[in-house]
Amino acid sequence: MTVTEPHEIVERTLALALSDTDDCVVIVSTAHEANLRWARNTLTTNGESAESSVTVIAFLGKDADAVVGSVTRSGFDPADLPDLVSAARAAAQEADRALDGGPLVSGIPVSADWTDPAGTTTGQVFAGVAPTLGHAFVTGAADGIEHFGFASHSVTTTWLGTSTGLRLRHTQPTGRLELTAKSHDRTRSAWSGTATRDFADADVLAMDAELRQRLQWQGRRIEVAPGHHDAVLSPSAVSDLVIDLYWSAVGRDAAEGRSVFSHPGGGTRVGEQIAASGVSLYSDPGHSELSCQPFAAAITSSGADSVFDNGLALTRTAWIEAGVLTSLIAPRATARDTGLPVAPAVDNLWLEVAGGSGCLADLVGRTGSGLLVTCLWYNRVVDPQTLLLTGLTRDGVYVVEGGEVVGATSNFRFNDSPVSILGRVADAGATVPTLAREMGDYFNRAAMPPLLVTGYNFSTVSQAS
């Protein structure tokens, strides 16, 4: 029998594995991508690509006594499946007993689209934005502005099958558009980005107008000394900070005293007030604007994931409610060992502040004085115990006086904690989908409000532009 379709590969691999393993999970993934890139108002490259992989997770022994081996092959040949299964079994034989061992997930019906072909994309997805990009390039050249950037779109389809009968499939579209505008003398630079599922909602003309406004603001230079200043953070900048917070919210790390979410006397800070009273943060795979994979699919186990949880249904999870920490990322094994509720990681984030209203410009208009930060870059964790981050502002920091932007200042290095920042929220706009400048490569589905934060620590001047 010829085995070529992804769902057939899952079935064939499971049949091979169950002849000499106790349990097995097979994950097949295909990804199709299209991209455009441009520099100095000229399209430089465009292309399409496709890739695929198969992961076999072999279990020897049951539940708490299981050992696990996981092997992934990319660009696989179906004829190599027996070797892949053998490699996974050999890896299991060499492994120590799994600390997250437990029963595999079962009892979930087969996805209705289980046998459907992989989702795909082509360069045609850019048909709606290409003409407006061309217009921005032509008018930019005439006005002394150079545009740099890229647009990318991928469609990833995942098939997950297990020896307990799960047959789950999900297709995930992911797109982003990043546009940087520079003056011809390269003394001014501004960035704008957007996340999208299909580019139907990507408004290049609005992005270009925003960039032009920021370049104009940079025409007046105002020196501001480093230090603690009130800061208006764009949704993109907020997203970069909150994604770091989310990735640090691992229940096992907190329970073991290794994170900002650890209670000083032992245990975790779940149930404690950690943010301003109006702040709420949640994930929901079924969200109409941020929909994502509704089941767990882990190739290997970590503090945030467990191969024993493959196929576990994901639902709406509140991480922070009205400023109170309500959940930490907890696979079933973490929940068992710590008493935390089961809360698998979900691939989206929604932050809102009660009473928040208006857009970024409205928030600036309500701000007496401060610095407007449009995006962050090169964020790194300095101290996990406080979640102190260091990073850079980039492509423009603007001086706000009397509710208006009156000029631009230097870029800065900052040192601050997103947990502390969420406790110092003085005002907020409405929540909107956004693209994190630093983390957008890895986390695409986020919606954040612009925030006015008191005492943001701009530690030193940065030469980054």
Side-chain angles (χ1 to χ4, degrees), residues 135-153:
H135 175 77
F137 295 165
V138 170
T139 57
D143 296 337
I145 297 171
E146 296 178 327
H147 287 94
F148 301 77
F150 68 92
S152 67
H153 188 252

Side-chain angles (χ1 to χ4, degrees), residues 38-389:
W38 55 89
R40 300 183 66 182
N41 298 325
T42 302
L43 184 68
T44 56
T45 59
N46 64 85
E48 299 171 7
S49 62
E51 59 184 24
S52 58
S53 66
V54 177
T55 296
V56 177
I57 307 171
F59 299 79
L60 302 180
K62 290 284 189 177
D63 300 344
D65 295 323
V67 293
V68 183
S70 178
V71 176
T72 300
R73 297 269 174 83
S74 300
F76 61 90
D77 184 332
D80 295 334
L81 292 179
D83 291 339
L84 181 57
V85 170
S86 296
R89 187 179 190 282
Q93 290 175 318
E94 296 177 1
D96 295 328
R97 182 177 63 86
L99 297 179
D100 57 333
L104 298 189
V105 179
S106 61
I108 299 178
V110 175
S111 294
D113 56 357
W114 173 251
T115 61
D116 287 0
T120 61
T121 189
T122 69
Q124 188 61 29
V125 73
F126 306 124
V129 299
T132 48
L133 276 171
H135 175 77
F137 295 165
V138 170
T139 57
D143 296 337
I145 297 171
E146 296 178 327
H147 287 94
F148 301 77
F150 68 92
S152 67
H153 188 252
S154 66
V155 176
T156 300
T157 306
T158 301
W159 289 261
L160 184 149
T162 75
S163 53
T164 59
L166 275 64
R167 301 293 186 272
L168 301 174
R169 178 188 181 279
H170 179 73
T171 296
Q172 184 69 62
T174 300
R176 60 184 177 134
L177 172 64
E178 297 196 29
L179 194 60
T180 300
K182 297 180 182 290
S183 59
H184 275 314
D185 59 7
R186 304 292 177 85
T187 59
R188 292 173 286 161
S189 178
W191 175 89
S192 181
T194 187
T196 179
R197 293 176 66 85
D198 57 12
F199 284 85
D201 57 349
D203 191 339
V204 174
L205 294 182
M207 294 171 69
D208 186 47
E210 178 181 67
L211 295 175
R212 286 171 173 266
Q213 175 68 81
R214 293 174 180 177
L215 291 179
Q216 181 178 340
W217 286 338
Q218 291 177 32
R220 181 188 179 197
R221 176 81 174 194
I222 301 172
E223 295 300 323
V224 175
H228 291 81
H229 300 278
D230 290 352
V232 177
L233 304 177
S234 73
S236 174
V238 173
S239 182
D240 265 318
L241 295 168
V242 172
I243 290 169
D244 262 319
L245 181 152
Y246 179 53
W247 282 351
S248 298
V250 176
R252 188 169 296 277
D253 290 347
E256 294 176 353
R258 294 185 283 117
S259 85
V260 68
F261 302 106
S262 303
H263 190 278
T268 73
R269 296 176 65 188
V270 169
E272 294 183 17
Q273 188 91 21
I274 67 164
S277 59
V279 172
S280 294
L281 177 68
Y282 70 87
S283 298
D284 184 357
H287 196 287
S288 60
E289 296 180 79
L290 304 174
S291 63
C292 63
Q293 187 165 282
F295 56 86
I299 292 174
T300 59
S301 292
S302 67
D305 297 291
S306 171
V307 293
F308 292 87
D309 285 355
N310 272 310
L312 190 66
L314 305 180
T315 58
R316 187 186 189 278
T317 301
W319 308 106
I320 301 171
E321 286 190 291
V324 176
L325 180 66
T326 52
S327 298
L328 293 168
I329 298 171
R332 290 182 300 165
T334 296
R336 175 197 68 207
D337 297 340
T338 65
L340 291 168
V342 175
V346 180
D347 194 26
N348 66 23
L349 282 174
W350 184 281
L351 179 75
E352 59 188 32
V353 179
S357 65
C359 63
L360 179 61
D362 296 324
L363 185 58
V364 168
R366 301 197 295 264
T367 300
S369 64
L371 299 179
L372 168 60
V373 177
T374 57
C375 61
L376 301 177
W377 187 251
Y378 211 66
N379 301 346
R380 297 295 183 267
V381 176
V382 176
D383 178 13
Q385 297 288 347
T386 60
L387 197 55
L388 178 65
L389 302 182

